[in-house]
Amino acid sequence: MNGTHLVTFHIGPVQDFIATARRSHDLWYGSWLLSELAKTAALEVVRYNGDDPSCLIFPAPEGDSLEQLKSFDFSATNKVVAVVSCNPVELGNAIKKSVHRRLDELSGVVFGNIKGFEPEVAVQQVKDFIEFFWASYPLNGNYKQARDFAEAVLSARKATRDFTQVAWGSSAPKCSLDGCRESVIAENVYNRMNDSMLYKSYRVQRGEYLCGVCLLKRHGKRESEKYFYSTSHVAALPLLERLTEQHRPLVKEYFGKLKELGIPPGDLETVRPPHPVFGPHDGHLLYEERFREFFFEEKEKVLPARKALREFLKKAFGGKKPLPYYALLLADGDHMGKVIDAQKTLEKHRELSLIQSGFALEARRIVKENKGSLVYSGGDDVLALVPLHKVLDCACRLSKTFRERLAGFKGEDGGKETAPTLSVGIAVAHHLEPLSDVLELARRAEKAAKSVPGKDALAVTLSKRSGSERTVKGTWGDLDRQLKWLVNLHRNEEVPDGAAYELHDLARRLETRDEELKGTLQEAACAEAKRILRRKRTRRGTERIAQEVLTGLESLLGGDKFSFEKLRQLADGLIIAREFAAAMELAVAPLFPVSTGEVVKK
């Protein structure tokens, strides 16, 4: 197997591994772990090819910089593509060993700090969970042909499952997160430890079992970073925006009381970088329902802690409480397969990879500037927790940046030229919902965005504990402006809350599949929807909806092209915008720079 080969490597599993996350820390560390293993594979490719980073096609660090490839901020997807002059079989074996060695290093550090579990079983489970596949094809001067063949072989290999007997099977309870591997925390641990000890020793609640892989994710640390924002902290960020220097004594007083009640400083100070006033304290300490996690066996201390919190909220915020909702943002590039296929040469594909790597780094900055917490950013995908008052701006900036950075690349779809765009799904969920459920909600939102013709779309799904899911979707430039306008209406009290629910109920009652009745009922629904809007009063029942606002709302119903889908979209858009408006009002954020004229359909 002499000569030059194109090789492509896959490291997984991805979706199932990431989805098994109950806490934000599980998701954060699991995503980083896969990236770290992919970077290890890429570095081994470089080492095997004379320490020349130019052999890498994807990922591609700027200026062939090994330092950038090794850096903490550089993210790598689970796929590595390279052109090599060494023996692909020897390279594949070397990478597999290197990946497992890196995995052993990371798990060894974590497991070495935990006592009272089955380390041999945990290590074997971690070793067995990794998927490593590779394929190669001789370059022979035709890069596209080599890439197509290598990708086809890799796909076939990934579809061929390895059915090997596990070495760690037992009668122990199954892991609560993945449901397939056995727990490595012995049963007698749950019998001899109280709830507080279980949480401090293993970060589990009673009845929650973890396999070796999930124990690694629960306790893993990203090098110097030990903790990740909790979902509660992200939900609390709009309220924390109100804190100023004059509130510092109140913050100090509040946390002094919590320490007196017995919460260790190590459990209080977990946020990096610290808030300018709130310090390194996680926002979950602003929710009364979270105190049970600190006083498992001392329930008599829960009431004093709640009293201290109420006093702090009253003094610092006039009694205002943090909102219970946050956003999980999931973005993915459109037409990327077509665009990659259109790159006929190694040089063009590598140029595309460089642009994607640059976007991944910029996405990190965009999320941070919008108060969010980045889980990962790959070449064309992003996952982040973002507070409600910033998520629309964050999504807009990500979409615009992606489109601008990749504007020079084109693909072909059905005979038409296509350019890369970014579709974004936003899930708005309660901070106490299991993260695996919220991640699935975000995936459904992203799928809804991807279903918009031509894509380049946004979809937002709201899941409230007291109601059903509501989703709106549309293209960038339309839906984002509409939502921002509706947010402004709520904040200015120019539209009543009840209008949305009446419109939604109207659609539910009159929508039909009977084609003979459909036209008549649509006409009746259109007239009734306009009547509902015109009789509604704003500003606590003192004023009618302004004519300019009515014109805008009726425009969103479609005018002569009215449909039940547009009626539901307006109703759900008003309900979703209300949540964003509440967060922005709490954060004392400025209104969106959107006018009625920008959303009125001509």
Side-chain angles (χ1 to χ4, degrees), residues 1-5 84-90 134 136-138:
M1 300 188 76
N2 296 324
T4 304
H5 289 74
V84 301
S85 54
C86 59
N87 186 312
V89 176
E90 292 180 2
W134 68 272
S136 73
Y137 196 83

Side-chain angles (χ1 to χ4, degrees), residues 32 35-36 39 43 61 65-76 223 361 364:
W32 178 81
S35 173
E36 192 67 13
K39 285 162 67 174
L43 287 167
S65 170
L66 274 178
E67 292 306 312
Q68 186 188 51
L69 187 60
K70 295 176 182 178
S71 72
F72 178 80
D73 288 341
F74 190 87
S75 296
E223 297 182 354
L361 291 172
R364 179 181 293 274

Side-chain angles (χ1 to χ4, degrees), residues 16-84:
D16 291 342
F17 176 65
I18 292 175
T20 53
R22 182 164 293 171
R23 298 171 180 266
S24 58
H25 190 282
D26 302 340
L27 183 64
W28 168 72
Y29 185 80
S31 300
W32 178 81
L33 178 62
L34 287 181
S35 173
E36 192 67 13
L37 297 180
K39 285 162 67 174
T40 299
L43 287 167
E44 187 67 14
V45 171
V46 172
R47 189 185 72 81
Y48 239 75
N49 284 270
D51 290 329
D52 180 11
S54 65
C55 67
L56 289 174
I57 300 171
F58 189 82
E62 290 184 3
D64 295 334
S65 170
L66 274 178
E67 292 306 312
Q68 186 188 51
L69 187 60
K70 295 176 182 178
S71 72
F72 178 80
D73 288 341
F74 190 87
S75 296
T77 62
N78 67 312
K79 189 173 184 179
V80 178
V81 181
V83 171
V84 301

